[in-house]
């Protein structure tokens, strides 16, 4: 029996308010939205730690406002920017480098971790928070794609709870709450906006530009997830994320394209009825749901007026024009090492597309080739996951850019 108080229900102990929060990825789209949510409810949250990557200037502004005890950045250049931007008389403890994020995730003074670093770089900090028994508000879906089995085991062992920030999974979580048993679920239905190229065929996608691909119709997000939305890889990663969060086979996780992004996802029960979660597309809502759970917090977002929206439409995803969704489903089915390869190849390809070194249609081709080459390996430890992640990235870079250093 599952209660869905969390994806790991036996560990449903949640920290009291005020919660002491570490925001990893504070300078990103999710991080900035989370700071807005917490600023609206200062009595409920103490911002204990803020971590950025390379944007030391923005992190300094955030630190000046919120005065966390700890701050972290990726490198010395960002540290210099951070230090230059801090006001006189305030000096947080500053940590630098990838280990800084795992340290912050496990601090004794922190009970709640918002995991919103982008990409595989979020895996180790998320795992550190899981091992340390924190309440994890999880935006970084890639960490479950890489090692959902490892993170899940760590949560079981420590009592950590994961609440999903990803809007679809947050919607599903609400639809699953209160069920007596898994047997009552028929399937989960993830909605997808279809991205900026919905309705186009494969041939017409070859020449699309970076600017076109970044122009998401409904959501304002970081660059990597915006490209993932344009290829439908985002939905593929989300299918895998849902399987790990809710312990269901990939055959029970469906996708429907819903261009208005008003329905965030649906749960279908064995009686054939479906429960949908609706709202305007704004990430402050699922972020607030996780940070405040089980309380509902007020957020300053536009209200949904169905009469103004007028019409909600739905269609099947086009797997021929957007092969990444199918690649992700197949990768999850093929075993735990295939999703690591899928994710690594995707991150290299998306970065290359954003840098102008690869065309849009080369993204799925690069991922498919990497998966075709892959033979399953053991990824039961974090070290094995990270070794495979590195090996795939190196192999693709060597194959595509043999002259690069
Ligand atoms: P952004 O690109 O806007 O922000 C990424 C954050 O991660 C920034 O703070 C960045 O720092 C930091 N960062 C980047 N690389 C590293 C690194 N190697 N080590 C440490 N920190 C790093 O991304 P989003 O906020 O859009 O997305 C974050 C995560 O949330 C992703 O996993 C995404 O899939 C997920 N998500 C996002 C949604 C959205 O609406 N944006 C919706 C659902 C899920 P800096 O900028 O200072 O370099
Ligand atoms: Mg999502």
């Amino acid at each position: 029996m599952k209660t869905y108080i969390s994806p790991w229900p036996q560990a449903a102990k949640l920290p009291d308010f005020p919660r002491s929060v570490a925001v990893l990825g504070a300078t990103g789209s999710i991080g900035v939205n989370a700071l807005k949510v917490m600023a609206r409810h200062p009595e409920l949250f103490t911002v204990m730690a803020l971590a950025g990557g390379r944007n030391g200037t923005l992190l300094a502004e955030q630190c000046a406002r919120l005065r966390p005890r700890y701050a972290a950045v990726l490198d010395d250049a960002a540290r210099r920017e951070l230090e230059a931007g801090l006001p006189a008389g305030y000096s947080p403890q500053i940590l630098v480098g990838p280990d800084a994020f795992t340290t912050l995730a496990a601090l004794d003074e922190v009970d709640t971790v918002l995991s919103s670093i982008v990409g595989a770089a979020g895996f180790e900090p998320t795992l550190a928070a899981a091992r340390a028994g924190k309440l994890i508000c999880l935006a970084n879906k890639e960490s479950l794609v890489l090692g959902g089995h490892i993170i899940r085991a760590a949560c079981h062992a420590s009592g950590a709870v994961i609440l999903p920030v990803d809007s679809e999974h947050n919607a599903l979580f609400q639809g699953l709450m209160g069920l007596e048993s898994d047997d009552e679920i028929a399937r989960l239905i993830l909605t997808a906006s279809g991205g900026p190229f919905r309705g186009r065929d494969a041939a017409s996608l070859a020449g699309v530009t970076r600017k076109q691909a970044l122009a998401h119709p409904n959501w304002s997000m970081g660059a990597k997830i915006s490209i993932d939305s344009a290829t439908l890889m985002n939905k593929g990663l989300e299918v895998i994320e849902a399987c790990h969060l809710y312990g269901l086979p990939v055959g029970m996780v469906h996708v429907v394209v819903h261009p208005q992004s008003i329905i965030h996802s649906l749960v279908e029960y064995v009686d054939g009825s479906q429960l949908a979660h609706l709202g305007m597309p704004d990430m402050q809502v699922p972020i607030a749901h996780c940070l405040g759970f089980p309380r509902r917090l007020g957020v300053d977002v536009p209200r949904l007026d169905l009469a103004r929206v007028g019409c909600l439409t739905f269609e099947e995803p086009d797997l021929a024009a957007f092969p990444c969704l199918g690649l992700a489903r197949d990768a999850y089915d093929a075993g735990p090492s295939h999703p690591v390869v899928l994710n690594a190849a995707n991150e290299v390809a998306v970065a290359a597309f954003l840098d102008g070194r690869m065309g849009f249609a080369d993204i799925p081709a690069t991922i498919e080739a990497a998966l075709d080459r892959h033979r399953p390996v053991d990824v039961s430890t974090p070290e094995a996951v990270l070794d495979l992640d590195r090996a795939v990235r190196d192999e693709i870079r060597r194959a595509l850019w043999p002259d690069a250093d």
Side-chain angles (χ1 to χ4, degrees):
M1 192 182 99
K2 290 187 180 172
T3 61
Y4 292 107
I5 293 298
S6 86
W8 292 280
Q10 61 272 52
K13 166 107 183 56
L14 298 166
D16 295 331
F17 293 98
R19 289 181 176 162
S20 176
V21 183
V23 181
L24 310 180
T27 48
S29 166
I30 292 286
V32 166
N33 276 310
L35 297 187
K36 281 189 210 161
V37 168
M38 289 193 279
R40 200 178 184 283
H41 299 279
E43 71 291 359
L44 298 183
F45 304 104
T46 304
V47 177
M48 183 59 66
L50 288 179
R54 295 196 164 82
N55 191 346
T57 306
L58 177 56
L59 190 67
E61 279 171 32
Q62 295 175 333
C63 287
R65 245 183 310 126
L66 297 155
R67 308 281 166 132
R69 202 175 294 166
Y70 299 88
V73 283
L74 200 50
D75 55 29
D76 282 324
R79 174 211 266 266
R80 284 191 291 276
E81 279 181 10
L82 171 62
E83 285 172 341
L86 292 176
Y90 160 64
S91 39
Q93 192 173 324
I94 298 177
L95 294 80
V96 182
D99 291 348
F101 310 114
T102 52
T103 303
L104 294 192
L107 281 175
D108 282 344
E109 299 108 303
V110 163
D111 54 40
T112 302
V113 174
L114 176 68
S115 169
S116 59
I117 290 173
V118 62
F123 173 63
E124 287 183 287
T126 305
L127 180 59
R131 285 177 167 160
K134 307 301 185 193
L135 169 59
I136 305 170
C137 302
L138 183 70
N140 177 257
K141 62 192 89 184
E142 294 91 342
S143 54
L144 288 183
V145 173
L146 253 66
H149 50 297
I150 296 170
I151 290 172
R152 198 180 170 104
C155 289
H156 272 298
S158 70
V161 173
I162 292 188
L163 298 176
V165 167
D166 212 350
S167 57
E168 296 78 1
H169 306 73
N170 188 269
L172 294 171
F173 171 62
Q174 297 185 52
L176 291 166
M177 251 169 18
L179 285 187
E180 291 288 317
S181 150
D182 286 0
D183 302 345
E184 296 170 46
I185 307 164
R187 59 185 179 131
L188 307 180
I189 305 165
L190 298 171
T191 51
S193 70
F197 305 130
R198 182 178 61 86
R200 292 178 59 159
D201 61 17
S204 81
L205 290 175
V208 300
T209 64
R210 180 185 194 275
K211 191 169 169 216
Q212 290 168 322
L214 283 172
H216 195 279
N218 303 335
W219 297 93
S220 159
M221 310 182 287
K224 190 258 179 185
I225 184 175
S226 296
I227 303 303
D228 286 348
S229 297
T231 62
L232 283 203
M233 178 55 91
N234 185 48
K235 216 45 56 179
L237 299 177
E238 290 184 356
V239 168
I240 298 175
E241 182 184 12
C243 293
H244 282 297
L245 282 171
Y246 302 120
L248 296 173
V250 71
M252 284 177 73
V253 183
H254 294 235
V255 173
V256 66
V257 173
H258 166 46
Q260 297 80 19
S261 297
I262 296 294
I263 295 186
H264 300 312
S265 278
L266 309 95
V267 178
E268 181 177 308
Y269 309 104
V270 284
D271 61 7
S273 63
Q274 299 184 353
L275 204 68
H277 178 276
L278 284 75
M280 297 299 281
D282 190 311
M283 287 307 295
Q284 284 186 71
V285 178
I287 291 168
H289 183 254
C290 293
L291 285 172
F293 189 80
R295 286 162 80 163
R296 288 272 176 185
L297 308 184
V299 277
D300 298 315
V301 297
R303 301 284 136 168
L304 173 61
D305 179 343
L306 282 174
R308 276 185 75 166
V309 174
C311 167
L312 301 179
T313 61
F314 305 92
E315 56 198 70
E316 291 289 341
D318 180 348
L319 295 180
F322 302 99
C324 286
L325 175 55
L327 290 174
R329 298 188 80 95
D330 292 348
Y332 184 75
D333 244 358
S337 64
H338 279 77
V340 179
V341 175
L342 174 98
N343 184 71
N346 183 54
E347 288 192 23
V348 174
V350 169
F353 173 72
L354 286 168
D355 287 352
R357 286 174 294 146
M358 186 181 275
F360 189 76
D362 298 328
I363 298 175
T366 302
I367 300 163
E368 187 168 10
L371 287 166
D372 283 347
R373 282 194 300 271
H374 179 61
R375 297 290 161 265
V377 294
D378 176 57
V379 283
S380 51
T381 64
E383 295 73 27
V385 166
L386 293 169
D387 284 348
L388 176 59
D389 174 74
R390 259 189 304 271
V392 173
R393 288 167 195 263
D394 289 348
E395 187 185 57
I396 295 174
R397 289 192 192 112
R398 271 198 309 271
L400 291 177
W401 305 288
D403 300 330
D405 359 295

